[in-house]
Amino acid sequence: MELHHEFTVPVPVDEAWRTLLDIERVAPCMPGASVEEYDGKTVSGAVKVKVGPITVTYKGSAVFEEQDETAHRMVLIAGGRETHGQGTARATLTGTLEERDGGTAVSVHTDLTVTGRPAQFGRGVMAEVGDRLVGQFAACLSEQLTPPPPDAPVAEEEPEAPLDLLRAAGVPVAKRAAAVVAAVVGVLVVARVRRWRRTGRK
């Protein structure tokens, strides 16, 4: 699945480049993501994804395959696996930055492969979710890059919440995805009832 997103941030391209490479700074802007370790090239961490009543946690790592400061181009290869399940997620992200009207235009091309429960949503839903998440990320990043007023209160850091796919997708997409979630829950319930019958439990 290939996805493409663009957003702008209100700072010159060199400053935007340094900020986007500051993984520990930008990670809180991505819903559900947490960074455990970063050595300047490899990032280790986790992403929590909530699909209706089900929460899936992926743990894995991402490696910067390319960081071209002159061209302002970066390539990040990421991969993760469910901590309780067989699902996997792999992505190659190619980002390019370009100065535009005093700010920076950021273009991100993602080649994404997902297996397991979130994959049931299909490309259309995942693309819409991606659009919303990139919008949230860009707004958060822009807020970080904009100096606060001198008398502004310091915001307290909140615990990381899982990425809620249904909420991120919005009501129309959530209605389409509800059937998938219901089917997944139904399969789990049927499997549990069958297991109880085999073991003689009531």
Side-chain angles (χ1 to χ4, degrees), residues 14-23 25-26 141 145:
D14 288 336
E15 183 177 348
W17 172 264
R18 290 192 298 271
T19 300
L20 287 172
L21 289 180
D22 188 347
I23 297 298
R25 178 179 178 183
V26 302
L141 192 61
L145 292 170

Side-chain angles (χ1 to χ4, degrees), residues 8 20 32 41-42 76 83 86 102 109 148 160 165:
T8 59
L20 287 172
K41 183 177 181 181
T42 302
L76 184 70
T83 55
Q86 300 300 314
H109 179 271
E160 188 58 57
L165 285 185

Side-chain angles (χ1 to χ4, degrees), residues 135-160:
Q136 293 177 29
F137 176 81
C140 175
L141 192 61
S142 296
E143 185 177 346
Q144 282 200 12
L145 292 170
T146 302
D151 57 349
V154 178
E156 294 184 5
E157 187 173 344
E158 298 180 359
E160 188 58 57

Side-chain angles (χ1 to χ4, degrees), residues 93-108:
L93 295 88
T94 302
T96 55
L97 284 65
E98 179 183 352
E99 190 111 20
R100 185 179 298 172
D101 299 327
T104 299
V106 183
S107 174
V108 182

Side-chain angles (χ1 to χ4, degrees), residues 31-53:
S34 61
V35 174
E36 296 174 357
E37 188 177 352
Y38 178 50
D39 62 7
K41 183 177 181 181
T42 302
V43 187
S44 299
V47 176
K48 288 185 179 180
V49 179
K50 188 172 184 292
V51 186

Side-chain angles (χ1 to χ4, degrees), residues 23-167:
I23 297 298
E24 292 165 326
R25 178 179 178 183
V26 302
C29 285
M30 181 55 71
S34 61
V35 174
E36 296 174 357
E37 188 177 352
Y38 178 50
D39 62 7
K41 183 177 181 181
T42 302
V43 187
S44 299
V47 176
K48 288 185 179 180
V49 179
K50 188 172 184 292
V51 186
I54 301 168
T55 298
V56 180
T57 299
Y58 294 92
K59 294 200 71 173
S61 61
V63 179
F64 280 101
E65 289 292 306
E66 181 181 334
Q67 293 182 17
D68 188 337
E69 186 173 0
T70 302
H72 296 118
R73 181 179 186 272
M74 64 181 74
V75 178
L76 184 70
I77 298 179
R81 179 177 293 277
E82 288 184 40
T83 55
H84 301 288
Q86 300 300 314
T88 62
R90 292 188 60 82
T92 299
L93 295 88
T94 302
T96 55
L97 284 65
E98 179 183 352
E99 190 111 20
R100 185 179 298 172
D101 299 327
T104 299
V106 183
S107 174
V108 182
H109 179 271
T110 306
D111 187 353
L112 174 67
T113 302
V114 179
T115 66
R117 286 163 285 186
Q120 301 297 321
F121 287 100
R123 186 190 185 286
V125 174
M126 296 300 288
E128 291 188 50
V129 171
D131 290 342
R132 289 177 177 268
L133 292 178
V134 169
Q136 293 177 29
F137 176 81
C140 175
L141 192 61
S142 296
E143 185 177 346
Q144 282 200 12
L145 292 170
T146 302
D151 57 349
V154 178
E156 294 184 5
E157 187 173 344
E158 298 180 359
E160 188 58 57
L163 164 57
D164 190 332
L165 285 185
L166 296 188
R167 181 173 295 178

